[in-house]
Amino acid sequence: MRVPAGLSLLRADLRLMLREPDFRRLLTTRLVSQAGDGAFTAGIGAYVFFTQNTFPDPASAAAAFAVLYLPYSLIGPFAGVFIDRWSRRQILAWSAVIRAAFVALTGWLVWSGTTGVPMYVSVLLVLGVNRFFLSSLSAALPHVVAEDSLVTANSLTTTAGTVTSFLGGLIGLAVHVVSGGGRSNSALILLAAGVAYLLAGTAATTMRRDRLGPPPLALGRARASVPHELSLVARGLVSGARHAWRQRPAAAALGVTASQRVWYGILFLMSILLYRNYFYSGSSANSSLGHFALVVIAAAIGYGTAAVVTPLATRRLAKQAWMTLLLTAGGIVTGVLGPTFAQPAFLVIAFALGVAAQGITICATTIIQQVMGDAYRGRVFALWDMLFNVPFVVGAVVAAQVIPDDGKSYPLLLLTAAGYLASAAGYGFVSRHSLAGGPAGPPGPGGEETPSASAQRSSS
């Protein structure tokens, strides 16, 4: 059977990249580190939400979300100032050591049963340093991959990293459940994550110190001061937001991303409280954690499903139409199945919202890539990163003010379902000129999308 030309080119790109020793070393560094990320998240989640005889209240759960998600958004845009000044190989090596030290501190706090501010600060330090690590990996990639292979390299590294992180977390949860749970097992999972970080740092040291950049300054040139560069980043974010606002497709994509993350955050908080304090209130924390893992798996399957069906759907539908359908389906499934407050229903909801969340993410990022010019694309994606995580935390924090400790709230559930439907209606309204069209190609003059070649052929 003849292999399609596009697939042949993809295979050729992969073969060329994997022949490069430093690409393999950089990929190994990422995969080992992100396996540690998954284990760290599993250990912290098991301790905060599923510790024996501890039943999380909404406020503590929302605080945990803030610690786990905000560093990626608030630190990320400013990390580049330092990543463009220091040796990236050294950042990868030393941040691994620093993270491992903070993980050891976090593990000791978990083992001793410490909660509250000390533990949250320790976790925040781990995740803050991790932001530097991940940003350095992205900045280093062009130094080990040919420019015309960057798209393939980004797809491979980010997808493989996400899968590895999920597997690391799943293994951590499985070990916690099988071993009987408890603070000591959560601490051991965290220490395993610390070991993974040290191994990732060791892999990074197998590359030359100057291999990953940044390039040295030209003779006679000097860098601007750090405060000046940080202020430029802040002004750049504002400039990117203003420019995106003037491009309606990009502004709508940013807005719908933020809105659906608010509703997703509310339902995620509700699910944790239901499984710990309602479905299994009379059982062990380990039992509730084992069943909640099914929710995580259902959502992950939904994410994977979206990665397969979204490219197929957007061959026949405009991306805006597909996003509107996903939001509508999410609202209907939540509104119909949610009020049963039954575990099978929440597994279906987790799958459906996983499909919706990832499908919207794929389409929104593609729209931004097509509409925004190179001069603003980086700043708009930094803004997108903030709008992906901050609204998630905002949704959880707002819900924590009204949701009961057991998570069972008919009004909040129906509000969330209505929120998905309202987001669909709002996005459909502002994108109404694109809904009736077919799939769109690259942006034309002024940032407007042009019909794809396939659509043009089908109409001729």
Side-chain angles (χ1 to χ4, degrees):
M1 186 174 66
R2 185 177 179 181
V3 178
L7 186 58
S8 297
L9 289 173
L10 177 62
R11 288 178 177 175
D13 276 349
L14 288 173
R15 282 197 298 268
L16 285 173
M17 286 187 297
L18 292 173
R19 286 176 186 168
E20 169 56 51
D22 283 338
F23 173 77
R24 295 198 302 268
R25 292 174 182 132
L26 195 67
L27 180 61
T28 299
T29 301
R30 175 186 284 273
L31 296 183
V32 175
S33 176
Q34 292 203 246
D37 291 343
F40 182 81
T41 302
I44 287 297
Y47 174 64
V48 173
F49 301 122
F50 296 96
T51 300
Q52 192 71 26
N53 299 324
T54 299
F55 296 86
D57 60 86
S60 66
F65 285 173
V67 171
L68 289 171
Y69 288 95
L70 290 185
Y72 286 88
S73 299
L74 303 181
I75 296 175
F78 298 93
V81 171
F82 301 96
I83 292 169
D84 290 339
R85 299 170 75 95
W86 301 337
S87 164
R88 291 168 190 150
R89 202 281 312 250
Q90 293 300 93
I91 292 176
L92 294 177
W94 282 106
S95 64
V97 175
I98 295 170
R99 275 188 302 165
F102 287 142
V103 167
L105 172 62
T106 306
W108 178 80
L109 292 172
V110 168
W111 179 80
S112 63
T114 303
T115 58
V117 173
M119 198 266 298
Y120 286 142
V121 170
S122 181
V123 172
L124 191 62
L125 290 171
V126 173
L127 297 177
V129 176
N130 196 46
R131 181 70 267 175
F132 279 88
F133 187 91
L134 292 175
S135 295
S136 296
L137 285 171
S138 298
L141 189 62
H143 289 267
V144 296
V145 173
E147 184 176 352
D148 57 359
S149 297
L150 270 177
V151 172
T152 304
N154 275 305
S155 298
L156 171 63
T157 56
T158 56
T159 302
T162 300
V163 170
T164 304
S165 180
F166 173 74
L167 290 175
L170 198 59
I171 292 171
L173 290 178
V175 169
H176 195 278
V177 171
V178 171
S179 62
R183 297 198 309 264
S184 60
N185 286 313
S186 294
L188 287 175
I189 294 170
L190 294 177
L191 293 179
V195 172
Y197 292 151
L198 290 176
L199 292 175
T202 301
T205 61
T206 60
M207 293 175 280
R208 295 196 322 269
R209 180 171 180 153
D210 61 348
R211 180 69 173 94
L212 306 178
L217 290 175
L219 187 64
R221 290 192 59 190
R223 295 190 187 275
S225 66
V226 170
H228 177 70
E229 290 198 21
L230 291 174
S231 68
L232 288 178
V233 173
R235 290 200 295 269
L237 288 173
V238 174
S239 174
R242 288 174 177 169
H243 187 74
W245 180 255
R246 293 192 291 269
Q247 302 290 335
R248 177 177 288 183
L254 291 170
V256 77
T257 296
S259 66
Q260 72 96 10
R261 290 293 289 174
V262 170
W263 314 124
Y264 197 85
I266 292 173
L267 282 174
F268 195 71
L269 172 66
M270 181 180 289
S271 298
I272 289 176
L273 295 175
L274 283 170
Y275 272 82
R276 183 64 185 103
N277 300 342
Y278 179 70
F279 294 143
Y280 295 95
S281 60
S283 303
S284 69
N286 220 34
S287 176
S288 58
L289 176 61
H291 287 85
F292 181 74
L294 298 177
V295 175
V296 177
I297 293 172
I301 293 173
Y303 273 65
T305 301
V308 175
V309 301
T310 295
L312 298 176
T314 52
R315 289 178 184 175
R316 297 186 175 274
L317 297 173
K319 289 180 287 293
Q320 292 86 346
W322 179 238
M323 293 163 74
T324 302
L325 284 175
L326 289 173
L327 288 166
T328 303
I332 292 173
V333 171
T334 302
V336 171
L337 298 181
T340 65
F341 283 102
Q343 292 181 65
F346 270 79
L347 292 177
V348 175
I349 292 172
F351 170 79
L353 296 186
V355 174
Q358 184 67 359
I360 290 167
T361 297
I362 292 170
C363 292
T365 54
T366 304
I367 289 171
I368 293 171
Q369 288 170 341
Q370 291 178 330
V371 172
M372 303 304 300
D374 280 338
Y376 286 92
R377 194 173 292 156
R379 282 171 282 182
V380 173
F381 270 110
L383 183 65
W384 182 89
D385 186 62
M386 289 183 169
L387 292 176
F388 188 83
N389 288 319
V390 174
F392 178 86
V393 175
V394 169
V397 170
V398 172
Q401 311 308 310
V402 296
I403 193 170
D405 286 355
D406 65 2
K408 187 177 181 181
S409 172
Y410 290 101
L412 191 60
L413 184 73
L414 294 177
L415 173 65
T416 305
Y420 271 101
L421 295 176
S423 296
Y427 184 67
F429 177 77
V430 300
S431 305
R432 59 191 180 279
H433 297 298
S434 303
L435 294 182
E448 295 180 356
E449 294 178 336
T450 59
S452 66
S454 61
Q456 290 175 349
R457 286 194 298 270
S458 65
S459 63
S460 61

